[in-house]
Structures are given as structure tokens and as C-alpha cells.
Amino acid sequence: MQYGGDYNPEQWPEEVWVEDAQRMREAGVTMVSLGIFSWSRIQPAEGEYDLEWLDRVIDLLHEGGIAVDLATATASPPPWMHETYPEILPVTAEGVTLGPGSRQHYAPSSPVYRRLAADLVRTLAERYVDHPGVVMWHVNNEYGCHLHEDHSPAAQDAFRAWLEKRYGTVEALNEAWGTAFWSQRYTAFAQVRTPAAAPYSHNPGQLLDFKRFTSDMLLECYLMEKEIILAAGATQPITTNFMGPFKPANYPEWAQHMDVVTDDAYPDPDEPESFRDAAFQRDLIRSMKPEVPWMLMEQVTGALNWRPTNAPKAPQQMAALSMQCIGRGADGILFFQWRQSRAGAEKFHAAMLPHAGTDTRIWREVRELGSQLASLPSLPVGTADARVALVMDWESWWAVESPDHPSNVLDYVAVLQRWYRALHRRHVMVDIVPPERVTASQYDLVLAPALYLLRPAGAAALTSYVADGGHLLAGPFTDVVDERDAFLDGGFLTRLGEALGVTIEDFGALAAPGAAGQATAPLTGPFGTVTGTLLAEEVVLRGAEPVAAFSGGRRDGDPALTEHSHGAGVGWYLATVPDEEGADAVAGWALERAGVAPVLSGLPVSIEVAQRASVVTVINHGDEPAVVRVVGRDLLTGENVTEVALDSFGYALVDTDA
Ligand code: GLA
């Protein structure tokens, strides 16, 4: 179990480093992420390295028993770089060059940036690869966080090369993008550009490929660094920190190249339900590499500084959210940052060691959490705790939020989170996986909302899932296009229709809340009457039976939820996106039909329950104290219990096998 944070010692004179190491020991810190933004200090000029100070910091930490997750420092290029090579700077869709003075001001596809980054990484890797204090490599930092796309000259060249590799011939590209429409037919790759500012909508195939390209360029940067570190002989795990559901990078694909998946998460204390969305993020991250415990690489101890208003965490909320990570598969809790900055853009961002010093609530909570984590035994890895899967797919996310759709207000992650919250309130464990990962042996219930783009392998996996005895709840706006964001012959639901027994004739967009027109669609079924939003599709039965019907509005009396037996399983199709209460009711009905039991039953919705093999974690996110019945050994007190009493933000980890 690791505990610590980002350490940026270059902000302080060396005597403070000695105090830092001492205080870290007091707080139970076991590991720090070092040097994430140190490039200008490490390399004051091209070809000139200053590493003695870094040697001294690493040695000091190592002597103090604090391990180092050594950063490659490539996330913020030093000022000499743009002075000599202005071509490394990224460009927005509107053609604005993003300048220095902040951070992440580099074009990921720039050959110059990559050459200079490679040189830095090689220098660091060769120097520290055998240092016993270096236990992990932290490549770059939050790839793409501030730079969601780049239209620089380097990006134009790289995009064309990427397309040529993907399509081989310009004819194949024309075919894939459907350029016969709007006179877009290309006769050479040289004519293709990134989808930058244009008079009207871009070609959707081009937009989708640009998203793939953007993710791939960032991934290429990561892989370049990883290969350099490995070539230097590294045996430590290599990672880069994710940001949960972050659209520009296809994380499930990236995770295959990571030894440990690490994540940064900043739930808003002002949002009463943000702990549920935080749980969604933990489960998403855990599901990317279930066999290896993940790590929380960054969170904040108190208030941060980058929202319009930045509420502090309530007393003990930091510990409660940390235990949420542990309960959902993490083996490390780290923060941004160790010591609060005295100057610079993040000086109001809370840290482990506050600016106000050690006689502070935050410092006391940091120490207490450190000692609790140190007291935990090593925890089992749970790879099969969830009997429910929520399908989330980055390519489908990119495509479904492309413009010019029946509803252009559909927010993919918001739809997924609505379903997730319904399951979370019912204390059910959920994996969040791409469609290809779905199997009937692992999941009793699979939810696939708005799975607009479906790859053949995903369609095959979902169809077999039903045939093999699973319960699939799909829809709406699912199985609409192929990987090119183009329709398939035969209408909609062309692949999943076999398992669902329906097809769709019209998507029936509903008005946005407050706008003119029908904004909601009531539907009535075995779960009562609930409210649909966004879409009220026109479903055509092709073997399925209606289970619920729209009960009002333009589809009054038409099927709203259908059921179809396929092989040993059941395919349900829901023709609308239920609102929060509706999702709750439908999820409850589907869980019962699929025979999925909660981890613990009969608890209020403010109590969170998570399962990690034999360890059950319970957390009270409510204001009132609560008593939870759970039998086993309380891992924080060492006592055998049949119930645990939880104050507000209280928690317990109970080994139910002990
Ligand atoms: C990100 C960055 C950190 C820091 C935090 C602040 O996660 O990686 O360097 O800026 O945000 O919340």
C-alpha cells in the first residue's frame, strides 16, 4: 500500500528538503512522484544537464525510507525550447498558437518535441535505472489534459501519415469517409487536413479518425518514453496518470501498455452525489486492468483552485474518498501535492503539508490516514466481484457526440453515470468495460446504453452473451453505425437485432428541457410509470414482446421496453433514456430479473458498499450516523464484528472470510 504525493522540491531551498523527508516519515508517506514539472531545472539549456540536485533529493528520500516514482519531466517544456524551436507549440482549431508561460505547451506529434523529450528521458533513465530508491516510472503527466487536440503543421503532416497508414490508398479513405457527398473527394493525401475551423460541419468520418489520431499521437509519446526506459534496463513498473472518463485518450487501449493503471480524481465537495460519480471513476479504472491493483496518483486534501468556486472537503471526507479507492481495488493513495506552493498558479491548491503548517486539521487528517493505511494487511485482488457490466466504449463516445445527430444534447458519460448511480444506490458491484469484454460466465446483467458505434467483435460478443444465457439491456441509439461512423445496409440494430428482436425506424428526439416541444416521454411497465428523456424511439417488433409502453406523448401506446429470448438468454431494448428516478426503477427491475443480489441489502442510499474479493468496504456519505450489519474482521481495528457504526464520513473495511 503506497501513500504520498507529487513532490516538487525545486520550489524550495535544500534545507526544506530535509524537513520534508522528516515530515513525510511522520505522515507515513511511502512514495512520492518526483520531478513531474522539473524539465527546466534538469536541463537549463539544450545539451546541458544539471542532475546533482536530483541525485541529492532521491538519495535523501531513499535514506529516509521514501520510495520514488520518478517522473520523466516531459509534461512542461523549458523556455529555451520554444525560443529555439517555436514549431513545437500546438495550434487550436481556430489557428491560434498556444504559447508558453503555462504548461503542456507542446504539439504531441512534433518531431522536435519528441527528439528533445527522448533525449531527456534517456538521460534520466540511464542515470537512475539502478537506483534502489526508484520504484516506478511516471511518464509525462496527464497526457492531453489541457490540450484536447492540435492543428499545428506537425499535426497536419502526422495526420496525413496516420491516414495513409490506416487506409493505404486515397480511394479507401474516400470510401470510408463518404466523401462523395458535399464534393469532398480527395485525389491525394496531401489535400487532407485536420478538422480545423470550417464554415460548417466536418465530415463525421474525418472527425472520428481525428479523435483516433489524437489519442494515438499521445499514446505514441508515452510508448516512445516507455521504450527508452526499458532500453535503459528498467525493471520497475511504468505508468502514466489517467483522468478517469477523459475523452481525448482511449484509456482501455492505453491500459494494455501500462504495468499499473494510475488515476487522478477530483470530485467536487459541493456536489452531494459526487461520491457516486467518483465510484464510477474508480470502477472504470479498476476494470481496465482488473488483475493488477490500481493506484490513485492524485487527489486533493482540501480545496483545489481550478473550479469557478472551490469548496473544501468536509472533515474526514478525504479519508472516506481514499477508502472508496481502496475498497474498489486501489493499492495506493497519493495527492497533488506534498507541500503547498508558496507562489505560482497552484498556491491555493491544498496539499498534504498545508501552507499554514502542521497545527492544522488537514495535517492531522493526513497523518491519521497514513497510519491507517500502514495498518492494513495486504488486500486480496478481486477480479470477479461484479456480476453486472456497464458497457463504455471510447470510439462510440467520440462518434455519438459528433454533431448533426437526432439529439445533439446527448452527453454519453452523463447517460452512463445515470445508470451507474442507480446500481450504486442499490449496492451492486459493476465493471465498466468495452463490449468485447462481455461474457456470460462473468456477468448476469449487461447494460449497453447509447452504444452508437459498434465494432464487429463487440457485436459478436454481445450477441453471444445473450445466446449463452446473459441478460442484455440495450438502447437507445445503439448499434447505429460501423467503425467509419456510417450506416450499415438494412437499417438500424443490424447486428444486435438478432439478440434483441427489434429494429428502429425513427429515433424520436425529444426537446431539451425548457425548449419548445415534447421534452419527456412517460412509459409504464412492471417498474411503474417513469419518465424518458432525450429520445423516444419508434421500435418495430421483429420477434420481441413489449414489456413497457410509452404512456403519453407522440409515441403513446407504442413499445418502450421490449424483451426477446435468444438462445439461453434475454435481450431487452429500451427506447428512451430514463431520468434519474426512472433509471433507478428500471435498474431495480432488471437486477431482479437477472438474479443479481446486492453486496449488502437493506441499506440507505447514502451508505456506499464495495466488494474486493473477501473484503467489504462500507462508507457513510450521509450526515447521520448509521449502523451497518456486516460479519467478519474489521481490518482497521482488528476486531471481529457483526456490525459497524459509522459516523458521517465514517468507514470500515471488513474481511468477511476472516
Ligand atoms: C492535475 C495535475 C497536477 C495538478 C492538479 C491540480 O491533476 O496533474 O499537476 O495541477 O491537476 O488539481
Side-chain angles (χ1 to χ4, degrees), residues 41-56:
R41 177 77 197 262
I42 290 171
Q43 195 182 13
E46 189 173 0
E48 195 183 315
Y49 283 96
D50 175 5
L51 290 160
E52 273 92 49
W53 71 276
L54 196 55
D55 296 348
R56 290 197 295 281

Side-chain angles (χ1 to χ4, degrees), residues 182-201:
W182 281 4
S183 180
Q184 290 173 350
R185 208 178 145 267
Y186 297 101
T187 53
F189 280 104
Q191 298 160 356
V192 184
R193 294 202 202 172
T194 63
Y200 185 46
S201 304

Side-chain angles (χ1 to χ4, degrees), residues 196-217:
Y200 185 46
S201 304
H202 276 287
N203 180 298
Q206 181 183 9
L207 285 174
L208 179 59
D209 274 341
F210 185 61
K211 297 266 187 233
R212 292 187 175 112
F213 161 80
T214 297
S215 180
D216 281 2
M217 285 305 101

Side-chain angles (χ1 to χ4, degrees), residues 367-545:
R367 286 186 60 163
E368 194 186 324
L369 178 59
S371 87
Q372 283 195 340
L373 292 176
S375 75
L376 283 176
S378 87
L379 298 177
V381 179
T383 51
D385 298 320
R387 300 302 303 170
V388 179
L390 181 60
V391 174
M392 175 168 183
D393 187 80
W394 255 252
E395 293 202 325
S396 196
W397 183 6
W398 294 333
V400 80
E401 292 183 0
S402 215
D404 310 316
H405 281 179
S407 172
N408 293 304
V409 297
L410 190 151
D411 173 337
Y412 181 60
V413 170
V415 170
L416 294 182
Q417 286 179 329
R418 196 180 289 176
W419 284 109
Y420 179 87
R421 286 193 294 266
L423 299 163
H424 188 273
R425 279 187 212 104
R426 288 170 183 276
H427 308 110
V428 165
M429 278 301 279
V430 183
D431 284 347
I432 303 171
V433 294
E436 289 81 0
R437 287 260 307 273
V438 166
T439 62
S441 57
Q442 185 144 11
Y443 302 116
D444 297 320
L445 174 65
V446 170
L447 277 65
L451 190 60
Y452 167 77
L453 178 154
L454 195 54
R455 292 174 295 274
L462 291 172
T463 306
S464 313
Y465 168 73
V466 179
D468 296 345
H471 300 78
L472 172 66
L473 175 59
F477 217 43
T478 287
D479 187 12
V480 180
V481 297
D482 64 10
E483 297 122 294
R484 306 167 307 171
D485 197 358
F487 294 155
L488 290 98
D489 289 341
F492 308 108
L493 287 172
T494 53
R495 281 82 52 88
L496 294 185
E498 186 191 347
L500 298 170
V502 292
T503 184
I504 297 302
E505 202 164 308
D506 182 79
F507 299 103
L510 297 169
Q518 183 188 334
T520 57
L523 58 149
T524 303
F527 38 75
T529 295
V530 301
T531 301
T533 66
L534 291 165
L535 302 164
E537 294 182 332
E538 189 174 345
V539 174
V540 180
L541 301 176
R542 294 265 194 267
E545 300 285 329

